[in-house]
Amino acid sequence: MEATKDLKKASHDHSDNPEALRDGSLLAAVDLGSNSFHLLIARIEHGEIRPTQALSEKVQLAAGLEGDTLSKDAINRGLECLSRFAQLLQSVEPQRIRVVGTNALRRARNRRKFTEPARRILGAPIDVIYGREEARLVYLGVAHTLADDTQSRLVVDIGGGSTEFAIGERFEPRRLESLQLGCVTYAKDCFKDGMLSKSNYKSAYDRACVEVSHIRKQFRSKHWVEAVGSSGTLQAIEGILLAQDWAGGNITRKGLTRMRKALLDFKYMDDINLQGLTDARRSVIASGVAITEAIFDVLDIDEMRSSRGALREGVVYDLVGRLSHEDVRERSIVALMQRYHVDEESSQIVARRARMLFDATYKAWDLTASDRELLIWAALSQEIGKAIAHKHYHRHGAYLLRNSDLPGFPQHEQEDMAILVEGQHGKLRQELFGDSEGAMLLRLQRLVALLRLATLFKYVEPLEQLPDFAIKASAEGLSLDFPDDWLEQHPLTAQELAQQRNVFKRMDLRLEIN
C-alpha cells in the first residue's frame, strides 16, 4: 500500500531520529506495574539483545488507588523508586528509553500528578498503554524467550491490577485480551485486613471465575497447544510448588489445590510461611493463587510453565522495531485506512502537504520527530470518519481513533491523533484540547494548525499544480506568501485561507496570507 511510504518517510526523514542501532547500543524499558516497577537495560550484541541490568521494586500503585484516584503516598512511593532507576539510566540515550504504565495508571484520573514528575525524573515520556496493547507486549516478551516453533500458545500475565491473555504463534499474537483482575486489587478487596479464610478465598476465586468466563469461548484449551505464564505472580507460584515438591517444575491443577489448602492453614497473610515464598509476595500470594485456580478451571488448563520473558522484555523488542524502522504503529495506521476504506490518494496528498508544512515550521515551533510522526498519522487517517457519515466526519474519525485497538499506540498518542483529526475542520470547540495546558497545549494547537492547512490544500484543483509558496514561521504564527495572482485565480482557496485566520487567532496564533 502506497500509504506505507508516507509512514516510513514520517519516521525516517527528520534529522532528530536516532542513528541505526549498532553493536554496543544500550536500550532500556521501564514497566510501571500496578504491583511492582521493573527496569531492564539491554545491549545489542551481534544483532541480539543481551540484558545487562535488571531491577524490580515493589511499589503497589494499585493499593494506593482510592476509587479512581492515586493517593499521595502511592505517587511518592513511585517517584522515589524512579529516582533510583534514573541513576542507572544515565548511560542510556533518552530516545532509547521507553516507559510504560499499566492498569493502575490507566485507571487513575489524576495520573498526570505522577506521570509529569516521572517524565522529568527519567527524561522520557510515560506511555500509559491500553490493556490489549499490554497483552501484545507481554506476548512479544515471552515469545522471544521460547523456542521458535510453530505451535500455538496461550500466554497469561497476572499483574497487580489486571491480567492479560494472548494466543499466538511464534512472534505473532492472534488474540489479545485484558481483564480487570489482579493480585493487589483482589488482596485489597477480598482479603480485607490481611485475613485468610475459606470464605475470603472463595470470594476471590468466584469473582475471578466470573471475569474469566467472559473470554472462555475464545481462549479455552482447544485454541492452543501449550500454556505459558509470565509475571512475578505465576513465577512465584511455580517456585513455591517446586520448593515444596508439589509439582514437577510446572504449575499444575494438583499443585494449586495443595497450595490452596496450605495457605488456608494460616489465619493472616503476614503469618504465611511456605518454602520458596518471598516477603515481597506474602501479601498477594493468596489472591494470586485464587486467580490462577480460576483461570485454570475456566479455560481448561491442566499445566502451565512460566517464562522469564515479560512486559519489559516485550517493550525492549518493540523499541528495537521502532528504532529500526519496523514500527508496528505504521501497520496499525495502514490497517485502519484499509478497514474504513480511506481514499488513499487524497490521504497521501494531505500527508505530503502536512510534511511540507511541518518541515518549514518545526524549528520555530519547537516540534520534534515524534510530533512529525503524529501529524503524518493523523493526516493519513483524517478521513476515516467518512465510513460513518460525511457530515461531521472529523468528529466520527476522532471517535474511532479514541476507541479503536491500535497496536503499538499508547493512550496519549491515540488521544492526540483524535484531537488533530477532530480539529482539522469546522469550528474549534472549546473542549477539544481537554485539560491540556502550557507547552502541551501549545504543541497540540500548532499541530492542529498544520493539519488544517494540509487538508485545506487537498481541494486545490488541479492538485498537481499547487504552486511553490514561501512559508515563514515564528513563535507567534505563520506567514504564507503565494505567487502573484495565484490567490485571485483560486478564490475559494483564498476565502478558506482567510477564514482560517479566525481559527488561528482562537489558538493564539497569527496567520498572514500574502
Side-chain angles (χ1 to χ4, degrees):
M1 187 176 184
E2 288 297 318
T4 306
K5 296 179 181 177
D6 286 300
L7 285 165
K8 291 189 179 297
K9 282 185 178 180
S11 299
H12 301 180
D13 289 350
H14 198 268
S15 58
D16 286 347
N17 272 343
E19 297 180 0
L21 292 175
R22 299 188 179 96
D23 265 9
S25 298
L26 290 177
L27 303 169
V30 181
D31 166 12
L32 307 178
S34 299
N35 186 39
S36 301
F37 284 7
H38 305 276
L39 167 67
L40 175 65
I41 300 176
R43 187 187 305 276
I44 304 292
E45 293 182 0
H46 307 295
E48 296 186 352
I49 295 175
R50 303 289 186 189
T52 63
Q53 185 83 44
L55 185 63
S56 297
E57 288 196 21
K58 181 180 176 182
V59 175
Q60 290 203 320
L61 274 188
L65 273 173
E66 299 167 358
D68 55 5
T69 302
L70 271 178
S71 69
K72 186 175 181 180
D73 285 346
I75 290 173
N76 289 338
R77 287 198 304 270
L79 295 178
E80 288 170 5
C81 172
L82 295 186
S83 295
R84 292 185 283 274
F85 283 6
Q87 298 174 40
L88 298 174
L89 288 169
Q90 292 177 0
S91 59
V92 187
E93 296 177 30
Q95 66 267 31
R96 294 178 178 176
I97 301 171
R98 189 170 182 217
V99 188
V100 297
T102 59
N103 184 262
L105 290 175
R106 285 197 291 272
R107 291 176 55 195
R109 297 187 65 176
N110 65 331
R111 59 175 171 262
R112 282 190 181 174
K113 290 187 176 180
F114 173 82
T115 58
E116 286 302 309
R119 178 184 58 80
R120 292 192 291 270
I121 290 170
L122 298 177
I126 313 300
D127 291 344
V128 179
I129 55 177
Y130 290 100
R132 288 185 178 178
E133 173 64 4
E134 183 179 352
R136 183 187 73 85
L137 291 171
V138 167
Y139 181 88
L140 192 61
V142 170
H144 276 88
T145 65
L146 301 178
D148 186 13
D149 53 37
T150 58
Q151 69 180 16
S152 61
R153 57 176 64 99
L154 167 70
V155 173
V156 179
D157 185 291
I158 300 174
S162 65
T163 296
E164 280 62 51
F165 301 81
I167 295 176
E169 297 172 3
R170 303 185 72 178
F171 302 116
E172 290 295 325
R174 305 298 181 192
R175 295 178 182 175
L176 301 167
E177 194 54 80
S178 176
L179 299 179
Q180 294 297 307
L181 63 161
C183 58
V184 175
T185 52
Y186 271 45
K188 181 179 176 182
D189 295 344
C190 302
F191 299 91
K192 296 185 184 299
D193 300 320
M195 291 189 63
L196 265 170
S197 67
K198 287 184 178 180
S199 61
N200 286 351
Y201 187 94
K202 188 175 186 303
S203 173
Y205 170 83
D206 289 344
R207 179 173 162 183
C209 283
V210 170
E211 192 72 21
V212 180
S213 67
H214 297 148
I215 65 166
R216 182 177 185 274
K217 185 176 180 180
Q218 295 80 24
F219 284 83
R220 58 186 174 181
S221 57
K222 73 175 185 178
H223 297 295
W224 42 266
V225 175
E226 69 165 344
V228 182
S230 163
S231 75
T233 297
L234 290 168
Q235 289 175 345
I237 291 172
E238 186 179 73
I240 295 169
L241 293 177
L242 183 62
Q244 298 284 164
D245 198 25
W246 289 340
N250 291 337
I251 303 172
T252 63
R253 285 175 179 268
K254 184 178 179 181
L256 288 170
T257 299
R258 295 189 67 175
M259 194 166 175
R260 172 184 14 105
K261 291 179 178 178
L263 287 170
L264 292 177
D265 285 339
F266 300 96
K267 188 174 181 180
Y268 295 98
M269 299 279 195
D270 290 342
D271 297 336
I272 299 174
N273 184 19
L274 295 176
Q275 190 173 352
L277 176 64
T278 64
D279 291 340
R281 288 282 161 189
R282 183 169 284 109
S283 64
V284 296
I285 192 64
S287 56
V289 173
I291 291 170
T292 304
E293 269 205 297
I295 292 171
F296 267 57
D297 290 347
V298 175
L299 300 185
D300 302 320
I301 301 172
D302 292 320
E303 187 171 353
M304 174 185 287
R305 61 169 168 146
S306 73
S307 164
R308 61 181 175 82
L311 176 61
R312 51 196 175 275
E313 284 80 12
V315 171
V316 167
Y317 281 103
D318 195 63
L319 185 57
V320 169
R322 292 187 177 196
L323 297 177
S324 303
H325 312 313
E326 298 174 1
D327 194 336
V328 69
R329 292 174 296 179
E330 296 175 0
R331 290 186 297 176
S332 294
I333 293 297
V334 171
L336 190 74
M337 294 170 68
Q338 293 174 334
R339 187 182 313 144
Y340 295 111
H341 309 290
V342 166
D343 183 333
E344 183 180 342
E345 182 179 1
S346 176
S347 294
Q348 287 178 17
I349 290 169
V350 176
R352 287 196 292 272
R353 305 288 186 255
R355 187 183 302 113
M356 174 189 69
L357 291 161
F358 183 94
D359 290 346
T361 58
Y362 76 91
K363 289 182 179 178
W365 282 7
D366 197 26
L367 298 173
T368 67
S370 297
D371 296 326
R372 191 176 200 266
E373 289 179 333
L374 189 76
L375 180 64
I376 302 304
W377 291 329
L380 288 167
S381 56
Q382 44 89 29
E383 287 193 344
I384 60 173
K386 289 184 178 180
I388 297 176
H390 281 262
K391 185 177 181 180
H392 302 313
Y393 72 90
H394 54 300
R395 296 182 188 174
H396 301 317
Y399 175 85
L400 291 173
L401 284 168
R402 286 189 176 98
N403 294 282
S404 295
D405 285 322
L406 298 180
F409 283 97
Q411 285 183 356
H412 72 87
E413 286 182 348
Q414 286 191 223
E415 176 61 29
D416 286 352
M417 278 196 298
I419 289 172
L420 266 61
V421 167
E422 184 170 350
Q424 69 175 298
H425 177 68
K427 295 181 179 179
L428 282 185
R429 298 186 298 120
Q430 188 174 0
E431 61 270 23
L432 175 64
F433 298 102
D435 57 357
S436 299
E437 56 186 19
M440 184 183 299
L441 174 60
L442 184 60
R443 163 184 163 268
L444 286 172
Q445 288 174 333
R446 288 171 169 174
L447 292 174
V448 164
L450 294 179
L451 187 58
R452 288 183 79 92
L453 291 176
T455 55
L456 184 153
F457 287 130
K458 76 178 176 180
Y459 297 112
V460 176
E461 292 290 350
L463 293 171
E464 65 274 8
Q465 292 184 7
L466 181 66
D468 291 331
F469 57 92
I471 307 169
K472 298 177 183 177
S474 67
E476 290 74 31
L478 276 180
S479 174
L480 306 180
D481 294 322
F482 291 88
D484 292 343
D485 301 328
W486 190 87
L487 288 174
E488 293 179 8
Q489 296 169 16
H490 298 80
L492 180 60
T493 301
Q495 181 181 350
E496 290 178 345
L497 282 169
Q499 290 173 351
Q500 293 301 319
R501 285 199 185 100
N502 291 329
V503 178
F504 272 54
K505 188 175 181 180
R506 290 194 66 186
M507 297 186 291
D508 295 322
L509 290 171
R510 188 179 69 248
L511 178 61
E512 295 180 357
I513 304 162
N514 304 306

